[in-house]
Amino acid sequence: MKKLTSVLLSAAMVMSMGMGTAVTASAEEDITLDVIICQYGPNTNEWFLGSGMDGTNFVDKFEAENPGIKLNLDVVSWNDVYTEVDTRLANNNAPDILNIDVFANYANEGLLLPVSDYCPEELYDDFFPSFIDQSVIDGTVWAVPDLASARALYYNVDIFEEVGIEVPTTWAELEDACQAIIDFYDGEIYPWGIDMTTDEGQAAFAYYTWGNGGGFVDENGEWAVNSEENAEAINFALSLVDNGFTNPNPATQTRYDLQDMFAAGKLAMVIAPNSLPTYVADKGGEINMATAGIPANEGKTSSSVGVMDRVMAFKDDSAPDQDARNEAIGKFLTFFYDPENYVGWVSMEGFLPAVYSAVESLVAADPSFGAWLNVLDSCQFYPTAKAEWDQVKQGVIAAEQNALTGADIQEELDALQTQLVG
Amino acid sequence: MNSKKRKRSLEPYLWLLPSILLIGIFVVFPIIIVFRLSFSEISKAGIVGGFAGLDNYKEAVSLPAFPTVMKNTFWWVLSVVGLSTLLGFIAALLLNQKFKGRKIARSILIFPWATSLVIQASVWNYIIKYEYGSLNNVLLNLGIIRQAVNWRSSYQIEFVWECAVGIFVTIPFVTFCVLSGLQSIDEALYESATVDGAGFWHKLFSITLPLVRPSLSVSTVLNIIYVFNSFPIVYTMTKGAPANKTDTMITFLYMLNFYDRKKGPANALSVIGFLILCFCAGIYMITVMRKEEETL
């Protein structure tokens, strides 16, 4: 009996050894890429992992077309992604490919691979150059854009017709339009929406300062948050609040609150991304809306605010074959930006594309895209390539919120500027 | 015989082992890590560098928002723990009376406590919303007000709302702690006191209060810890806006870590909070235990 057991046991051991070698052998051939994708909406998960891509999904289709490369892909919500990435970096377990908005901190710490190491030339030339320029530090490109959105002024056409006013293009016209709407509806409808919350207060800063010839940086790209133009612009925004032209609590009412009010017909004008019509329709609102440029100060040019997210690749010194890894990352990107896949992705979530090859089919499917692509050409971006951007973003929001409760905006911005440049 | 004895003396430790393991992994280990991080350089991307001495602590206490946040935390803990204890005690006295529907009243009272705090805070957000909040709607329809009222017109009022919600959700916990104490008091004590001519207040201070003191002290110590560490209400209602003026220490250090990416100071603040809590809870426990020993 004992003998039989030992024979069986050794047989089992031999078999398991054989299986073990088989597994390692296949692992040596396969490259597994850890990918983190941000959740842009309810469809993101379905498209990458479920069955939202014509019955299949991104991972299955990619693995079928690229034998030898496996994807370990996670879709993570925007709320959690920073924590997740931080934790993984702290534990020396960086993802291979990351989709997120920021990149400067990672690049400055030497954690990223330069794009030229992995991005095929043909694909690189397909990106809008103005987008690529936003991911350059010291002459090196560290990330590629995955998609973009641009902001414009949306207004409720019915309200404007009822009151009998034109869409404002300057600040003075904006004040007149606000007053007219207040008078006509006896304060029942807010003319103008302002969001100075921790969610997106930096966008408000951009809308007004860029419309007054100011901004986060000067013409040499150095921080200049405390310029006179900036203080004047924010004071103008605060005067709209004080005059009762806006939603009552700009420090806690986010853009989504504003979009809800707009969808309910309680707000006449809101600055929002190009996905607003989809948002309003999802909320069951039926608003007759149109877009216009963001009003600027007299004699200054209006510019749209572009927001762009990125895809980047982290270094992994433990990878046995760096060239093969780089090639796999390149294949991932080529597959993602292939118009056959990418067009579906961009239009599904209501964003604007980052590559030329997607434009044609997008415009064919929805002619309104053409106008937005022109906006993209003229828009400005946040200076996210500068290392102090996090601090500036939080700093201008705090300055706005302090000013809302009575502080002097020039003093607040001076203090921030001193922190930045000493 | 000897080995049996040894086994028996080991037995309690064996039973305690799972709890000790759990506490070790999920409580002690993270505390040690936070202490270590608070003395380390941490980059914006979260990479831990070398020893930083007290730099993180210096940076944390010199942040412009620090004094406001500490003041808020003090008022937050004092008002929520103080008022919820008072109101919870009164509610417990009422619910200890015999009346029709007492069971239903008791189960309704537990609702706020049994609901998640994020849901509670969101619901209150909707109730006091200016544009389409239900409070304004109800008052308008009843004709009590003519125009919608902006219930959160300044940050001071918003902070008061946060405290009010905090009190509302904490009352049930106090009530049930006190109620369990009340139920263990022998009815005969009250009967003989009544015979001796004691009134309501006399009975309250000479019989009820001394006898429910153990339950009250447990609920107060636990509440100080819970309320100090409470995150969802403030975060859901204002996220500390405007400019950290409605933040408490916990929401502030969260924003510091994940929004401002000042990870070193955030860890230092965590340690400071931990020490403050240990200090408060320690003092309270020592005084209460002493008093209890005296009375026994």
Side-chain angles (χ1 to χ4, degrees), chain B residues 229-246:
Chain B
N229 282 331
S230 176
F231 175 83
I233 294 174
V234 173
Y235 190 76
T236 310
M237 291 186 78
T238 64
K239 281 197 179 161
N244 308 107
K245 287 193 173 70
T246 59

Side-chain angles (χ1 to χ4, degrees), chain B:
Chain B
M1 188 68 204
N2 214 353
S3 77
K4 230 182 196 175
K5 231 183 199 171
R6 193 179 295 158
K7 257 186 199 162
R8 193 162 287 167
S9 68
L10 275 177
E11 201 182 294
Y13 298 103
L14 205 63
W15 289 113
L16 283 173
L17 193 66
S19 328
I20 291 174
L21 273 180
L22 277 178
I23 293 173
I25 293 169
F26 292 107
V27 180
V28 180
F29 184 59
I31 289 176
I32 293 173
I33 289 192
V34 170
F35 265 84
R36 193 176 68 93
L37 287 176
S38 75
F39 290 106
S40 310
E41 288 171 5
I42 312 174
S43 78
K44 281 183 174 179
I47 311 275
V48 181
F51 182 68
L54 288 173
D55 286 358
N56 288 331
Y57 288 87
K58 281 182 200 152
E59 196 180 338
V61 297
S62 59
L63 288 166
F66 183 75
T68 320
V69 169
M70 293 308 282
K71 204 175 73 192
N72 283 350
T73 312
F74 174 78
W75 284 113
W76 164 253
V77 174
L78 189 77
S79 65
V80 174
V81 175
L83 286 175
S84 65
T85 304
L86 179 72
L87 296 172
F89 184 77
I90 295 172
L93 287 182
L94 289 175
L95 287 176
N96 201 36
Q97 308 297 318
K98 286 202 175 89
F99 59 90
K100 232 183 187 176
R102 182 168 80 159
K103 273 191 180 154
I104 297 172
R106 281 185 185 179
S107 28
I108 287 175
L109 191 80
I110 210 162
F111 284 168
W113 196 51
T115 320
S116 120
L117 286 180
V118 178
I119 296 175
Q120 288 271 351
S122 310
V123 167
W124 277 98
N125 254 348
Y126 278 111
I127 294 176
I128 62 173
K129 219 181 186 118
Y130 177 37
E131 288 79 21
Y132 18 74
S134 36
L135 182 59
N136 270 337
N137 255 338
V138 169
L139 294 180
L140 280 170
N141 286 334
L142 289 176
I144 296 173
I145 52 173
R146 289 253 176 106
Q147 262 200 330
V149 177
N150 185 0
W151 295 107
R152 29 201 316 179
S153 54
S154 74
Y155 67 89
Q156 291 93 337
I157 298 178
E158 298 212 62
F159 189 64
V160 171
W161 273 112
E162 284 169 356
C163 293
V165 175
I167 294 166
F168 179 74
V169 298
T170 313
I171 286 175
F173 177 68
V174 180
T175 308
F176 280 91
C177 281
V178 175
L179 207 51
S180 68
L182 285 177
Q183 281 165 345
S184 62
I185 301 176
D186 194 348
E187 274 294 314
L189 283 174
Y190 290 108
E191 278 166 23
S192 51
T194 318
V195 171
D196 290 341
F200 170 77
W201 295 108
H202 201 159
K203 278 189 275 186
L204 180 68
F205 285 107
S206 307
I207 302 174
T208 316
L209 263 183
L211 288 173
V212 295
R213 193 195 274 145
S215 339
L216 261 183
S217 19
V218 169
S219 84
T220 309
V221 172
L222 289 179
N223 263 338
I224 290 176
I225 297 170
Y226 290 156
V227 172
F228 188 96
N229 282 331
S230 176
F231 175 83
I233 294 174
V234 173
Y235 190 76
T236 310
M237 291 186 78
T238 64
K239 281 197 179 161
N244 308 107
K245 287 193 173 70
T246 59
D247 258 331
T248 66
M249 199 159 165
I250 298 298
T251 52
F252 179 62
L253 71 88
Y254 176 85
M255 299 293 269
L256 206 58
N257 195 20
F258 294 112
Y259 277 64
D260 300 0
R261 306 184 81 74
K262 291 186 176 150
K263 291 164 185 298
N267 277 296
L269 264 188
S270 263
V271 171
I272 295 174
F274 175 73
L275 295 178
I276 293 176
L277 264 187
C278 285
F279 181 74
C280 294
I283 286 196
Y284 191 83
M285 299 253 279
I286 289 168
T287 47
V288 165
M289 278 177 177
R290 259 202 204 136
K291 270 196 186 152
E292 263 163 27
E293 270 167 20
E294 277 166 20
T295 46
L296 279 178

